[in-house]
Amino acid sequence: MAPVETPSPKHHADGGKQEDAAASRSYWRWHKDDFFPEPSFASWGAYRAALGATPARLRDRFAGRSTDAAELGAMRRRSENEMRRCLTWWDLTWFGFGSVIGAGIFVLTGQEAHDHAGPAIVLSYVASGLSAMLSVFCYTEFAVEIPVAGGSFAYLRVELWDVAAFIAAANLILESIIGTAAVGRSWTSYLATLLNKPASALRIQTSLAEGYNELDPIAVVVIAVTATLAMLTAKGTSRVNWVASAVHVVVIAFVIVAGFIHANPSNLKPFMPHGVPGVFRAAAIVYFAYGGFDNIATMAEETKNPSRDIPLGLLGSMSAITAIYCVMALVLGMMQPYTAIDRNAAYSVAFANVGMRWAQYVVALGALKGMTTVLLVGALGQARYTTHIARSHIIPPVFALVHPRTGTPVHATTLIAIASACIALFSSLDVLSSLISVSTLFIFMMLSTALLVRRYYARGVTSQTHARRFAALLLLVIGSSIGIAAYWGTSPERWEGYVVLVPAWAAGTLGIQLFVPMARSPKVWGVPLVPWLPSLSIATNLFLMGSLGKDAFIRFGVCTAIMLIYYVLVGLHATYDVAHGACGGDEEDGDVDVDVDKQKLPLADVEKLAGAADNGR
């Protein structure tokens, strides 16, 4: 049986010596062993031997699984220094506003209203908002139960095994890099509008291929500045975010009030110029506007009281944001005909067209503030994803290190910032947004699946009969959801297939509820109406994925293939060595859990409790 990653008692005993050794080393280290400390990379001969063992190691990692205690204990210890618990529900709520409201509502709304949805863009935001809220419920339960920096990566390591976690990790890093690049380029477009210039006026025109021919050095500078602030202090970044987000809320209130004053209901006709397919195609793209909320879950490790603060901050901010998005989309559709909506700076141009030219500068300034906070909070959250991924050794563990003075992951923040800046320099927003939407939806679908696994399967509790029954019913839910999405994508005007596929999805969900006993209940806060809400989240995320164009899937497929090549050549062997205790004895066989009440304790106390726990999952 493949090992289950848990804190090692031996490591606990030697913990003081290892901490002293870590303290004596400089944070700025660049030796080969800091990037590849695993025995598989000790020499070319060792690496060739590891490659020869790839099939056996793949089988091992397909069954490898972490635990709550390992994520809370041994994994965190690899950062050598703790992140500071300094955030409250107030910080998380404003982080929600700061991380979500930005390029999506101010840029993608105009793009998708003009190209696909027309005035029905408001329905696109309703559909994507419903799917996002379902995912928010799942994230909240996991973040309360496993409050670590890894977010969905950590949750999938516990519930869907190592290979699934790698797929999530690769997509999370891809999402982080592309999302930051997309917002950076949007920042430049709105700065140009603020200066009364065309959206692309501040970019450098080249002879490269369409979509990659406008170089954007301003986006590079903005990404660098926000990443630097995020490296310095989490609490200080939160204070900056409070102020900027408060100003942003005032601007949004102005947009809504002034927009309705100049609204013309006749502009809502035709309401759906491209039909229902256009509405859902737009919904899949504007889902990008909701994507930042997962950054809040990554800050659980720095939250003072995760069991209270995370539900308040995450659910509260996302409920308000969903309502704001829908109202703002309605305002835009009523201010001018959809054919006249500017694709790059929709709200600024809309106000100019109704005679409020001065208002376009207020909107552009508010958009710049919003996108700045998206970059700022994104730099925090994405670095914490990367930190926890590095703790698992999927990427070099040097990126897991937390700076002893700032209490922030400086290396991880730098990695994402440099990669994002390189992408932002070349790629246009429409190329980026479709790719990131596929990645985001895919991760959210996996997380909903993981929640069902967490509730209905626990080793030592679930019988083999019930486990097989659950697996079959879960496959029915996922398979029918894929079928619904594929049928919609290929035959949107027909309905016959839904007569079979929708009842199949409902039967699978009902079967889980009736014929599989729940293996565990949430300790503090849980998703209501399980299995229906997680199952609906799976279906809606896959449905929105099916509404995207083929180009997005081609790009996604190419990126996934590159990621899997990296995993087979590097990530597989690094994680195998760590799981088998070849890198300092952090992992060993066993399966433990840690009570949610221990989450408020310092890391050393959590480790002691986790090491003693033996209540099987």
Side-chain angles (χ1 to χ4, degrees), residues 28-374:
W28 310 103
R29 57 187 79 159
W30 309 106
H31 191 271
K32 178 257 182 186
D33 288 341
D34 296 316
F35 286 83
F36 298 102
E38 303 84 9
S40 292
F41 306 106
S43 65
W44 284 109
Y47 183 56
R48 285 193 297 270
L51 290 178
T54 295
R57 291 186 171 194
L58 276 173
R59 289 192 296 271
D60 178 274
R61 291 295 80 209
F62 266 106
R65 192 179 185 191
S66 184
T67 65
D68 295 12
E71 299 302 307
L72 289 165
M75 288 282 283
R76 286 173 56 187
R77 190 187 305 111
R78 294 173 193 161
S79 290
E80 295 185 0
N81 299 288
E82 287 193 58
M83 297 182 189
R84 295 172 183 168
R85 288 189 177 272
C86 58
L87 304 178
T88 66
W89 67 269
W90 179 260
D91 297 290
L92 297 182
T93 299
W94 284 105
F95 272 142
F97 279 96
S99 67
V100 176
I101 302 179
I105 189 64
F106 283 108
V107 178
L108 293 180
T109 305
Q111 174 183 304
E112 294 306 308
H114 183 278
D115 293 350
H116 297 117
I121 186 67
V122 63
L123 299 183
S124 300
Y125 273 105
V126 170
S128 56
L130 171 63
S131 182
M133 285 303 298
L134 293 172
S135 298
V136 166
F137 277 116
C138 298
Y139 263 94
T140 302
E141 178 172 330
F142 271 118
V144 169
E145 298 265 311
I146 313 174
V148 293
S152 53
F153 168 71
Y155 314 149
L156 294 177
R157 263 173 59 88
V158 172
E159 300 303 339
L160 294 188
W161 307 287
D162 193 77
V163 174
F166 166 76
I167 295 172
N171 279 281
L172 285 167
I173 293 176
L174 176 69
E175 178 186 332
S176 299
I177 293 170
I178 293 179
T180 300
V183 178
R185 288 186 69 92
S186 298
W187 202 97
T188 303
S189 295
Y190 263 88
L191 178 62
T193 302
L194 190 62
L195 298 175
N196 204 26
K197 296 178 179 293
S200 297
L202 300 180
R203 299 191 179 107
I204 301 171
Q205 304 296 320
T206 70
S207 58
L208 297 174
E210 182 69 25
Y212 306 92
N213 58 337
E214 295 180 348
L215 303 186
D216 197 336
I218 294 176
V220 174
V221 173
V222 173
I223 290 170
V225 170
T226 53
T228 300
L229 180 56
M231 291 180 204
L232 296 176
T233 167
K235 189 65 177 181
T237 302
S238 176
R239 294 190 182 102
V240 172
N241 179 65
W242 291 353
V243 176
S245 296
V247 173
H248 196 45
V249 169
V250 172
V251 172
I252 288 172
F254 166 79
V255 169
I256 292 173
V257 174
F260 275 126
I261 291 174
H262 292 86
N264 183 353
S266 65
N267 288 329
L268 294 177
K269 298 178 182 179
F271 187 64
M272 286 192 289
H274 301 289
V276 176
V279 172
F280 283 106
R281 174 71 185 274
I285 297 295
V286 301
Y287 198 95
F288 169 65
Y290 292 97
F293 74 81
D294 53 334
N295 286 321
I296 304 173
T298 70
M299 298 175 195
E301 197 168 312
E302 295 158 276
T303 302
K304 293 181 178 179
N305 188 345
S307 61
R308 181 198 66 188
D309 295 340
I310 291 173
L312 286 174
L314 192 51
L315 293 173
S317 61
M318 283 304 297
S319 298
I321 288 166
T322 301
I324 288 171
Y325 276 4
C326 294
V327 174
M328 288 186 70
L330 179 62
V331 165
L332 181 64
M334 295 179 70
M335 287 184 70
Q336 58 186 347
Y338 80 93
T339 53
I341 293 175
D342 186 271
R343 296 181 77 257
N344 295 307
Y347 290 90
S348 295
V349 174
F351 277 107
N353 290 342
V354 297
M356 296 179 65
R357 289 195 171 274
W358 60 270
Q360 68 177 315
Y361 301 110
V362 176
V363 174
L365 182 61
L368 281 176
K369 283 183 175 293
M371 285 181 274
T372 302
T373 59
V374 167

Side-chain angles (χ1 to χ4, degrees), residues 166-179 212 423 427 431-440 442 550-568:
F166 166 76
I167 295 172
N171 279 281
L172 285 167
I173 293 176
L174 176 69
E175 178 186 332
S176 299
I177 293 170
I178 293 179
Y212 306 92
I423 299 294
S427 301
V431 170
L432 296 172
S433 59
S434 60
L435 179 56
I436 196 173
S437 289
V438 175
S439 178
T440 301
F442 181 70
K550 65 177 182 180
D551 289 344
F553 283 95
I554 292 173
R555 297 181 188 122
F556 180 71
V558 170
C559 291
T560 301
I562 294 172
M563 296 167 187
L564 291 174
I565 291 172
Y566 169 84
Y567 181 71
V568 171

